[in-house]
Amino acid sequence: MKVPLMNINIQYEQLKEKIDKKMVEIAESSNFVLGKETEMLERAISGLCGVKFAIGVASGTDALILALSALGIKEGDEVITTPFTFVATAEAISRAGAKPVFADIDAKTYNIDAAKIEKAVTSRTKAIIPVHLYGNPCDMDALLEIAKKYKLKIIEDAAQAIGAVYAGRRIGSFGDAGCLSFYPSKNLGAFGDGGMILTDNEESARMIKLLRIHGAISSYRHSVIGFNSRLDNLQAAILSIKLSKLEEWTKRRRAIAALYNSTLKEVVAVPTEQAKGMHAYHLYVIRAGKKRDGLLDFLNKNGVESRVYYPVPLHLQECYRDLGYKTGDFPEAERASLETIALPLFPQMGDDQVNYVVDLVKKGIKLIK
Ligand SMILES: *Cc1c(COP(=O)(O)O)cnc(C)c1O
């Protein structure tokens, strides 16, 4: 049996008729950038996430850059985030002109450890970007408390966490802004790049809408220096069709994770859910300790595609050498990068496939010395 890490193509097969019809309709309309389909998606997602404004942009990375810019983050400012995330989180801070400052993660959730943030706060700190890694909600109570104490903004990186819930509220709705990604492999994926910013603040929403379209207040009149970062109508239309399946897909992701958890917990460390958080399982990540590399090799050789998210924490990346961090600065992030593996998980995965992966993981752990 072969089990892929994820399979995006089945989503298209399931919705092909609707999507094909819509794509032709938009091609014939020649209405490609922003427009009616984008507005419809923005309304649907603001409703789903329980926020006043949802603004479509060109990618999840741009969502972070525009949110930071709209909140006034600029050169000379510091923004605290996790070193254990996709590079885009820190890259966005740098592109907004500010300096990323890292705080280590919690060993169980792999999310930023709120207790380690205070030590990283300086007089230049303006914001925190918590990342709900793999779809697992951060400890928002603790983060909001720190933000309040030091008067910091919170921009949630919810790129992996659409559909996740914390204390009965949707992830992405807690911060001053929440950022979503519609990259094809994400839980709600487009046929290309796309992203969205969530906020309850009218002034931020107004600024983000200006920034995404060259700072234009009307045709060829520009009040601020902006970006070109818009969501295509075609992508928005495809996303709207897929959105109707998101709840069902998230439920299935959670059922698969529950099956994995119950069968794997004796042999490896399985994902931890907080009492208040509902994990959206964008990725299903286990910790295999010193057997990680052996297990990764064993699984891939036997047809079970597995990968490491992420093999090099950001403080040790070449592009961030100038920040002056060294090995040993964030031991939990470093350990996670050496010990974790993502196993296959996609909503259309069958129980037989899950059981096959489980058997192989158990076999591998026993075999590897
Ligand atoms: C995917 C991702 C991003 C960037 O989103 P894009 O749409 O690819 O630009 C940012 N942060 C995290 C944690 C991600 O997983």
Side-chain angles (χ1 to χ4, degrees):
M1 190 188 282
K2 274 208 165 11
V3 188
L5 185 65
M6 44 185 84
N7 186 335
I8 307 166
N9 206 257
I10 310 178
Q11 297 181 3
Y12 175 49
E13 283 164 21
Q14 285 183 341
L15 299 165
K16 183 169 166 36
E17 236 170 90
K18 278 188 186 164
I19 290 176
D20 287 358
K21 188 165 159 266
K22 203 72 195 176
M23 288 200 294
V24 170
E25 192 186 305
I26 290 170
E28 287 172 348
S29 81
S30 297
N31 190 0
F32 296 126
V33 177
L34 294 178
K36 189 183 91 195
E37 300 291 345
T38 303
E39 279 168 29
M40 272 172 55
L41 181 72
E42 289 174 339
R43 256 199 309 277
I45 292 196
S46 67
L48 173 79
C49 295
V51 292
K52 286 196 189 124
F53 307 96
I55 303 131
V57 294
S59 69
T61 307
D62 273 10
L64 290 163
I65 298 173
L66 267 66
L68 286 161
S69 304
L71 289 166
I73 310 297
K74 55 182 191 311
E75 208 178 320
D77 295 341
E78 292 177 1
V79 178
I80 297 172
T81 192
T82 164
F84 195 55
T85 174
F86 181 55
V87 69
T89 313
E91 190 180 49
I93 297 169
S94 304
R95 282 290 159 217
K99 177 179 159 189
V101 173
F102 299 116
D104 207 359
I105 58 167
D106 175 82
K108 287 214 163 73
T109 62
Y110 308 112
N111 283 330
I112 195 165
D113 184 346
K116 289 176 187 148
I117 290 178
E118 290 203 62
K119 262 201 294 187
V121 174
T122 73
S123 59
R124 297 182 165 195
T125 310
K126 292 286 155 57
I128 306 170
I129 303 188
V131 180
H132 308 287
L133 199 70
Y134 311 140
N136 197 10
C138 290
D139 182 352
M140 289 315 299
D141 286 343
L143 290 169
L144 289 165
E145 202 179 302
I146 293 168
K148 196 170 163 198
K149 184 169 169 189
Y150 294 96
K151 296 191 170 55
L152 307 175
K153 305 282 188 198
I154 289 190
I155 296 114
E156 296 177 70
D157 182 339
Q160 302 184 358
I162 190 167
V165 176
Y166 179 87
R169 266 172 66 188
R170 291 287 169 151
I171 281 306
S173 70
F174 289 86
D176 296 277
C179 299
L180 303 175
S181 164
F182 303 129
Y183 184 75
S185 63
K186 299 287 159 80
N187 284 18
L188 181 65
F191 285 7
D193 281 307
M196 198 165 273
I197 303 166
L198 312 174
T199 184
D200 272 330
N201 186 295
E202 195 169 350
E203 179 48 31
S204 300
R206 192 188 66 83
M207 183 54 88
I208 293 161
K209 281 185 193 162
L210 271 180
L211 288 175
R212 76 173 166 179
I213 184 160
H214 305 288
I217 38 171
S218 60
S219 291
Y220 307 110
R221 291 183 182 269
H222 309 274
S223 65
V224 292
I225 299 171
F227 300 80
N228 174 2
S229 184
R230 302 168 293 210
L231 184 64
D232 293 350
N233 254 340
L234 199 61
Q235 300 301 350
I238 292 162
L239 289 164
S240 288
I241 294 168
K242 284 192 169 189
L243 184 62
S244 65
K245 290 276 183 191
L246 184 68
E247 295 298 289
E248 182 190 320
W249 287 342
T250 305
K251 239 171 123 184
R252 179 62 190 152
R253 283 179 184 277
R254 290 182 53 76
I256 293 167
L259 185 52
Y260 269 143
N261 286 344
S262 65
T263 47
L264 286 176
K265 64 171 189 264
E266 312 131 41
V267 288
V268 291
V270 298
T272 311
E273 290 201 40
Q274 301 180 70
K276 285 189 175 181
M278 197 203 86
H279 200 318
Y281 288 104
H282 170 58
L283 293 170
Y284 184 85
V285 174
I286 57 167
R287 187 191 284 271
K290 303 248 180 303
K291 297 190 176 183
R292 198 278 301 274
D293 288 342
L295 185 62
L296 189 66
D297 197 45
F298 179 79
L299 292 174
N300 282 306
K301 274 198 179 122
N302 285 285
V304 169
E305 193 191 345
S306 326
R307 271 171 79 173
V308 176
Y309 297 86
Y310 296 90
V312 181
L314 299 187
H315 67 289
L316 301 179
Q317 292 283 355
E318 189 183 342
C319 65
Y320 279 123
R321 212 166 31 198
D322 287 357
L323 293 177
Y325 291 111
K326 57 186 187 313
T327 304
D329 283 347
F330 304 108
E332 289 305 339
E334 291 165 24
R335 204 159 68 84
S337 72
L338 296 172
E339 297 186 349
T340 58
I341 303 186
L343 301 178
L345 195 163
F346 50 97
Q348 298 78 9
M349 197 176 169
D351 283 2
D352 57 330
Q353 289 178 303
V354 179
N355 291 328
Y356 181 75
V357 176
V358 168
D359 288 344
L360 216 55
V361 171
K362 285 184 171 171
K363 216 182 272 173
I365 290 289
K366 208 181 261 171
L367 221 83
I368 298 155
K369 291 292 164 232

